[in-house]
Amino acid sequence: MAPKKDNTRSVLITGLGGQGIILAGNIISSALFSKGFDVKKSEVHGMSQRGGSVESHIRFGRTVYSPLIPYGCADYLIALDENEKKRLHRQLLPGGSIIFLPSENRTALPSPRTLNVYLSAVFLRRLGFSKNDISGYMSRIVKKKYIDINNKAIEAAFRNSASF
Amino acid sequence: MGRELFLSGNEACALAAYDSGCLFASGYPGTPSTEILENLGTYNSVNTSWATNEKVALELCIGASFAGRRSLAVMKHVGVNVAADPLMTLSYTGIKGGLVIVTCDDPGMHSSQNEQDNRHYALFAKIPMLEPSSSAEVYNFLTAAFYISEKFDTPVLFRLTTRICHSHSRVFPGKKSELPASGFTINNQKYVMIPAWARMRHVFIEKRLALLEKFSCSSKFNIFEKGAGSRLIITSGISYQYVRENFINLPVLKLGMTWPFPAEKVRKISCRFKEVMCVEELDPFLENACLVSGVNNIIKRPKNFYIGELNPERVKALLVNFKDFIKPVKQNIPAARPPALCRGCPHAFMFEIFRDYGLIVAGDIGCYTLGTLSPYNALHACIDMGASIPVGLALRAASAGKQKNKIISVIGDSTFFHSGITGLIDAVYNKRSGLIVILDNRSTAMTGGQDHPGTGKTLPGNISVRLDIEKIVRACGVNRVFQVDPFKKTETAAVIKKSLALKEIVVIIATRECIIYGPQKR
């Protein structure tokens, strides 16, 4: 997981206000930052919180310049909402990956509100992060009373993400 | 190597202020600036407050500065309009303890009513301006800003934009400074701006600007990065990152201190190139400064670029094709979902009533501005903080016929404290008539539920006096005041209905805590 000399990689997280997009972005970016990558993360808070579309852009590599992902250059699209997935699909590079859990499969989650942590864990697992590492980053960010339920979501991600 | 942190621009700003020995900070919540003071509020040693408005915030910082304390005034771009009165004369008096005014501009209007370019305030007030391009620069530049302020006896404008405020990147913090308080020194010719002494201070300002320009030319804020090609790019702030994202090898003059404009340095470097292009967000500020400085090989950007936020693709299109980037049109792509009032929001009940009665609503700044969208379509004017009362009452007075009794003013609790009260006093004094509805959700909800004089708590979370809106309204001379509960829709609707045609000022206070931030506060 040492920083490579390759180009910057980009992760776009999307969903609706209230789904915890910013929290997912914080978990993922702090995980990447702790591995020594140069990381930039950008999102807009404020009015868009009120149930509107929310995007978090994360970029990592050796040296990152723009915090915003250039149009059509996302390597990964993590979508918490079906409509947002469709809307931002064109931000994905050809051959890029989508990380999404269709609503009919969400019964695996300990609670629908843990979808953000679940998908973050699926993504980080792919990059080679361990369950314990992810749990550690999550625990530092979420409120104490929500740590247990989110650990269950991380467990679920490690059980199920083979199907992605 | 020292500590390395991953911080947003706002977090870096708060940490830098703390590390610089800033002991006094004030502002009013406003996206994208809010988190700066929220973060500073976590340090017990810093006197941090939500002021009633930005003018008060800056005036507080002026007092602290005159006592020799480093102080920080924080606001969004439109907040500087409110604080402009003290700002313009603060430039004359200068400071004692370093004073920095953070302006957080919102290109693209993610959460604002306009996208004014506050770089003009530096020119207007004749004060230096710094524009960092990353969280690390926010930290380093703010530390330097206090130094500049004290060295040149001037307030410093620290200009951030949404993309700097709300982007996280790495920061290498330095050591914390501890500064002793020096106290106030009586010096009427400096601190009392009567015409005779202000005239002398204006002479000082012009000298100060000349010194600052020299400083800017030789400072490490303005760096020339060599590269290949015959075109020089001059850029600042986040635009620099977009240039580098696309072109790692172009020659770039990166300006961190954009006012006073380092004319000499820019001229010297520019004449080595065939052409010069400024890559900047919003107004042609650098472009104009180049022209005034005698840089005559400049290519002006197409005017499209005066509008909206930049991004990597727009900058690429500008530099490659001298055109703006237009997203390709594709079929069957869902639209972005607009923001909406939350489910269970007490304001929503009120807007249903306004809609059902077919009222014309002069609105204000807050979550409730969303009452203008479907399914309510029940807010018909929104200008600036506090405008609802004067705009609505004059709209009513100047209207005729049936429309007259359908016009009301709607304002939130925090906005009422910010600048609604002056409009209300005017209304009573000038014997105007009309209905004013105060939507009191006990929170500055739009920006994340900050406290205000009506919540009984201060920024660091201490218990304080809770100012009673009804008592204030009555003290302003309003005799007809009604308290309603938005959840009791039928009763509330009846009170509104009977208030519409009264020939005096009527105030209805609709109180119900914010559905999101209310429960969090308890």
Side-chain angles (χ1 to χ4, degrees), chain B residues 283-457:
Chain B
D283 294 346
F285 185 84
L286 300 178
E287 228 168 66
N288 288 346
C290 281
L291 287 170
V292 171
S293 308
V295 176
N296 44 26
N297 51 345
I298 195 155
I299 315 171
K300 294 198 71 156
R301 295 171 304 159
K303 286 193 172 147
N304 263 16
F305 284 94
Y306 299 1
I307 303 165
E309 190 186 16
L310 289 182
N311 53 39
E313 50 274 15
R314 286 187 80 191
V315 169
K316 187 177 181 181
L318 171 68
L319 294 180
V320 175
N321 300 321
F322 200 63
K323 270 203 292 212
D324 208 344
F325 174 82
I326 295 158
K327 263 190 198 169
V329 180
K330 284 190 185 169
Q331 296 296 310
N332 304 323
I333 290 181
R337 187 174 318 182
L341 291 174
C342 303
R343 234 181 278 173
C345 171
H347 299 334
F349 294 81
M350 300 300 289
F351 279 100
E352 282 172 10
I353 300 171
F354 303 155
R355 174 194 62 200
D356 296 346
Y357 282 159
L359 300 183
I360 293 168
V361 175
D364 226 299
I365 309 280
C367 291
Y368 51 94
T369 317
L370 294 169
T372 194
L373 301 178
S374 284
Y376 314 104
N377 306 308
L379 186 140
H380 310 95
C382 170
I383 312 293
D384 68 301
M385 295 286 286
S388 58
I389 297 176
V391 169
L393 295 176
L395 185 64
R396 187 176 190 272
S399 299
K402 278 188 184 167
Q403 208 181 39
K404 206 179 179 85
N405 290 339
K406 296 253 175 200
I407 297 170
I408 66 166
S409 299
V410 171
I411 187 167
D413 44 345
S414 193
T415 312
F416 178 73
F417 286 112
H418 179 286
S419 47
I421 297 170
T422 43
L424 184 62
I425 292 172
D426 164 86
V428 174
Y429 167 60
N430 286 307
K431 291 195 162 293
R432 307 190 197 284
S433 58
L435 171 60
I436 297 159
V437 180
I438 301 173
L439 302 177
D440 181 7
N441 64 358
R442 298 285 156 91
S443 180
T444 316
M446 180 94 265
T447 46
Q450 289 73 25
D451 284 294
H452 63 64
T455 66
K457 256 190 181 176

Side-chain angles (χ1 to χ4, degrees), chain A residues 3 8 10 16 22 25-26 29-30 33 36-55 57-59 61-72 81-91 143, chain B residues 4-6 31 35 110-112 133-134 162-163 166-171 238 240-242 244-245 248 309-313 325 327-330 332-342 366-367 369-370 445-448 516-517 520:
Chain A
T8 300
S10 303
L16 300 172
I22 296 191
N26 288 343
S29 56
S30 64
F33 186 70
F37 285 105
D38 186 17
V39 184
K40 285 193 178 174
K41 175 179 78 101
S42 182
E43 63 242 339
V44 169
H45 334 157
M47 212 174 215
S48 47
Q49 281 180 347
R50 308 277 166 260
S53 304
V54 179
E55 292 170 32
H57 293 221
I58 297 170
R59 311 197 68 217
R62 208 159 65 111
T63 306
V64 179
Y65 291 102
S66 168
L68 279 180
I69 302 170
Y71 181 78
D81 174 85
E82 175 96 45
N83 223 37
E84 289 297 299
K85 185 188 82 174
K86 284 187 191 148
R87 184 173 78 82
L88 291 175
H89 192 271
R90 58 180 175 166
Q91 286 279 15
K143 282 189 187 147
Chain B
E4 191 184 354
L5 300 172
F6 185 60
T31 312
E35 299 84 1
H110 298 282
S111 200
S112 302
S133 74
S134 65
T162 304
R163 212 45 81 176
H166 286 174
S167 291
H168 281 62
S169 55
R170 62 169 90 174
V171 174
I238 194 70
Y240 167 79
Q241 306 291 356
Y242 300 147
R244 281 293 175 233
E245 178 70 31
I248 200 79
E309 190 186 16
L310 289 182
N311 53 39
E313 50 274 15
F325 174 82
K327 263 190 198 169
V329 180
K330 284 190 185 169
N332 304 323
I333 290 181
R337 187 174 318 182
L341 291 174
C342 303
C367 291
T369 317
L370 294 169
M446 180 94 265
T447 46
I516 302 291
Y517 297 111
Q520 287 182 16

